Amino acid sequence: MCKNPLEATEENLKKGKMLYLVKAKPLPCKHCHGLSGDGMGPMARGFDPPPRDFTCAKTIKGVPDGQLFWIIQNGSPGTGMLAFNGLNDEQIWQVILYIRQLAK
Ligand code: HEC
């Protein structure tokens, strides 16, 4: 599974946004990646490497969907990035759609 099977519809983006801002467990993404996705969330400062800046198109464009999926599901060992293994596949793809449209 390396391409996002979902379309960036309003509904999928809205669900992705809810996960990012509120619903994702153990912690909504915004606490680390920031409200706007700039990697400056209130908890970001404690981490080395720091959370990724999703608003930087250069950083995120080159990362394939499948890799984003894997990292969100499994976390990134040795970094602050947690495993979100409680999310189902559809939810992970929705949050990926949301992250991608933060990039400018
Ligand atoms: C506790 C803080 C924290 C939370 C909460 C968090 N992240 Fe992260 N995330 C990080 C850190 C730190 C990194 C940097 C790891 C690295 O550079 O390898 C990261 C990296 C990533 C990456 C890798 C980007 C890349 O280019 O390799 C993705 C994708 C990601 N996070 C998505 C998410 C999503 C989606 C959520 C919410 C469901 C989330 N993160 C929640 C701290 C967090």
Side-chain angles (χ1 to χ4, degrees), residues 16 19-21 23-34 43-44 46-54 59-65 67-73 75-84 87 91-92 95-96 98-99:
L19 289 164
Y20 187 94
L21 296 177
K23 287 203 181 148
K25 294 210 165 78
L27 260 183
C29 324
K30 70 160 186 227
H31 289 298
C32 298
H33 292 280
M43 289 179 60
F47 299 114
D48 179 20
R52 211 55 73 116
D53 179 357
F54 296 136
T59 317
I60 192 90
K61 283 249 165 69
V63 185
D65 281 346
Q67 186 176 329
L68 295 177
F69 188 96
W70 196 92
I71 291 172
I72 295 167
Q73 190 166 54
S76 189
T79 77
M81 180 56 191
L82 308 165
F84 288 86
L87 301 180
Q91 290 174 313
I92 295 179
V95 89
I96 291 173
Y98 180 70
I99 292 175

